[in-house]
Amino acid sequence: MSGKFWRRFRTALVLSAAVVGIAGCAGPRSRSAEDPLRIGVVLPLSGEDAQAGKQILDGIRCAHEMLRRDLGKDVQLPELVVKDDRGQAGKADAAVRELADRGVAAVLVGYRSSEALAVKSAAAELKLPILAPTATNDGVTARNPYMFRASFSDSQQAKALAYYARYRRRCGRMGVLLNLDENAVYSRDLGRQTAQEFVNFGGRLAGSAGFRESMTDFRPQLRDLLAAGLDVLFVPAYPACAGRIVRQARELGYRGLILGGDGWNGAEFLKECGKQPGDVAFSAVYSPDLHSPAQEQFVRLFQELNHRAPSVNEALGFEAMMLMFMATREAYDSDQIRERFAQIRSYPGVSGEVQMTADGDSQRNIFINIVEPGADGKLEVKMGEIIAPVMLYRPEHMSHLR
């Protein structure tokens, strides 16, 4: 981190530190200036989600190393105390409580939203600030001043997807596939929210149909939806399933836009979608195609440390650690940390500028990725458009499109 980017980071750091006095009124969770700053990290480092958890941890450690190199010995860096929750909600809660007993100032928690949701009670009860690097469920930060997220929320993502379909692509009729699996809360909620936002923007919901991830033949559901004359089909599913749905929709003759959420991100989608997936797009919180100074510096250091390119999980782990450092540096009780989180402005993140809101969410760019053949003919994911927060929350940016 150097040059203009580092100056901007220092400015954001100073602004976040200026919102509260150092002395303050010590609450139930406090430390003295002589005490070491410890940050807890609770991730799935074994079990089904181990790969994602390790990717997030690699991003966190990359941020820690960048801070060490740029701030030097004169600045106290946090000690990371890492716990494995195996991706299980109960273990995440137990790990957070154990870390609180060990005196951590705040905790980074989870890959899935279920882990972050499971620790909300502990955060409120212990007055322990918790930042979720990748959780998108709206409930993560709801009605809890000690819960924060680094990623976008499902409602933000839904608004961006509906905006893209309605205003950028001029779609008028949307069909939605809804995941009926019991544990598919993410997919189901995103489908309903996106459909509602599309209607709010003046579009029409032409129909919906249910599916399950275990299915292999989606043609009956697709035939019913496509008969309604769709301009856009929204498929909130995970990569392999989404790819199969796209391929079968094309086999049935549909040539319109097929839209997905960030759950599409994964190599399995490209393996399953067929050689000619056509007009497809999906949302993402990170795109390696941005090539901003902040992103390029992050990528260079990450590759030096890990000998591979970072993905979205590493990027969000990196940003979560940076945001955590801004909130905890020279803060000596949990309420100071909480207030600093809420006051972070203009952080130059690896996906563009990040601003924390009073309710614990982050406002940030949402990328719309597309799929196209590369130079070698193989399908590649590329950045199509950037939906900036100002485009979604200021009516004047949409009035001319109505």
Side-chain angles (χ1 to χ4, degrees):
M1 201 188 299
S2 58
K4 183 177 179 182
F5 170 64
W6 180 231
R7 290 195 295 274
R8 289 181 64 203
F9 177 76
R10 285 184 180 275
T11 300
L13 189 64
V14 169
L15 288 174
S16 70
V19 299
V20 291
I22 294 302
C25 177
R29 300 203 57 78
S30 61
R31 67 184 181 92
S32 71
E34 291 74 31
D35 291 334
L37 173 60
R38 295 189 179 92
I39 301 299
V41 179
V42 177
L43 292 168
L45 302 177
S46 60
E48 180 181 351
D49 295 326
Q51 180 179 2
K54 291 173 183 177
Q55 289 171 338
I56 296 169
L57 183 58
D58 285 342
I60 291 171
R61 287 174 170 159
C62 180
H64 197 272
E65 175 62 14
M66 183 173 282
L67 290 168
R68 185 191 68 79
R69 293 187 183 189
D70 284 311
L71 295 179
K73 298 179 180 179
D74 295 334
V75 176
Q76 180 192 33
L77 293 182
E79 172 191 342
L80 301 179
V81 186
V82 181
K83 298 289 291 183
D84 177 13
D85 68 5
R86 298 185 59 82
Q88 299 174 17
K91 290 186 180 296
D93 178 72
V96 164
R97 294 178 185 276
E98 178 185 337
L99 289 169
D101 289 340
R102 294 175 61 176
V104 299
V107 191
L108 294 156
V109 175
Y111 165 60
R112 294 186 184 271
S113 292
S114 57
E115 295 161 86
L117 290 168
V119 303
K120 286 186 68 176
S121 294
E125 175 189 334
L126 302 170
K127 292 190 174 182
L128 180 64
I130 290 177
L131 176 62
T134 58
T136 60
N137 186 282
D138 285 2
V140 166
T141 57
R143 298 179 298 280
N144 191 323
Y146 292 95
M147 293 294 299
F148 305 87
R149 86 170 88 237
S151 182
F152 51 49
S153 67
D154 286 338
S155 58
Q156 292 169 336
Q157 179 179 194
K159 198 176 189 76
L161 287 163
Y163 174 91
Y164 174 75
R166 182 73 182 114
Y167 290 126
R168 307 300 289 177
R169 300 299 306 276
R170 302 289 186 171
C171 297
R173 295 169 62 83
M174 174 180 282
V176 180
L177 284 171
L178 296 175
N179 194 326
L180 302 179
D181 291 338
E182 183 178 356
N183 62 349
V185 178
Y186 155 78
S187 297
R188 205 156 41 244
D189 284 356
L190 184 60
R192 290 167 176 163
Q193 288 174 313
T194 303
Q196 184 58 58
E197 291 289 357
F198 186 75
V199 172
N200 293 345
F201 286 147
R204 178 179 175 183
L205 180 61
S208 63
F211 74 98
R212 297 184 185 278
E213 289 275 339
S214 59
M215 294 169 56
T216 58
D217 185 4
F218 304 92
R219 292 175 182 84
Q221 292 86 348
L222 288 169
R223 287 192 184 96
D224 289 343
L225 281 177
L226 299 182
L230 308 181
D231 299 313
V232 54
L233 173 64
F234 185 51
V235 183
Y238 290 106
C241 180
R244 289 191 289 270
I245 292 172
V246 167
R247 175 167 45 81
Q248 291 178 21
R250 299 309 187 200
E251 290 171 352
L252 290 174
Y254 178 63
R255 294 294 176 261
L257 172 64
I258 304 181
L259 195 60
D262 65 327
W264 279 25
N265 185 56
E268 298 91 344
F269 177 81
L270 298 180
K271 293 177 182 178
E272 296 287 347
C273 68
K275 294 182 179 179
Q276 296 182 323
D279 187 6
V280 296
F282 63 95
S283 55
V285 72
Y286 173 77
S287 171
D289 297 331
L290 184 63
H291 299 303
S292 66
Q295 184 180 97
E296 290 180 350
Q297 289 160 13
F298 157 64
V299 170
R300 280 197 300 269
L301 178 58
F302 188 88
Q303 289 178 324
E304 175 190 332
L305 297 174
N306 298 279
H307 309 291
R308 60 183 175 84
S311 71
V312 61
N313 288 328
E314 290 91 344
L316 283 173
F318 178 90
E319 289 198 339
M321 184 63 213
M322 287 297 199
L323 294 170
M324 181 66 82
F325 179 70
M326 292 173 67
T328 56
R329 185 190 180 199
E330 295 182 353
Y332 298 103
D333 71 59
S334 53
D335 283 343
Q336 288 181 352
I337 296 171
R338 176 178 59 82
E339 291 172 18
R340 286 188 181 181
F341 263 128
Q343 293 296 325
I344 290 174
R345 298 289 184 272
S346 302
Y347 163 64
V350 299
S351 296
E353 191 170 279
V354 178
Q355 174 175 307
M356 300 299 292
T357 67
D359 58 5
D361 286 329
S362 64
Q363 286 194 349
R364 57 187 304 136
N365 289 334
I366 297 177
F367 299 93
I368 303 297
N369 286 337
I370 59 175
V371 176
E372 292 182 344
D376 59 358
K378 294 182 179 179
L379 294 176
E380 295 179 353
V381 173
K382 302 177 182 180
M383 183 176 72
E385 295 196 28
I386 299 175
I387 309 296
V390 68
M391 299 167 68
L392 301 177
Y393 297 102
R394 293 189 183 176
E396 64 268 24
H397 286 266
M398 294 182 285
S399 59
H400 69 288
L401 297 171
R402 293 188 184 280

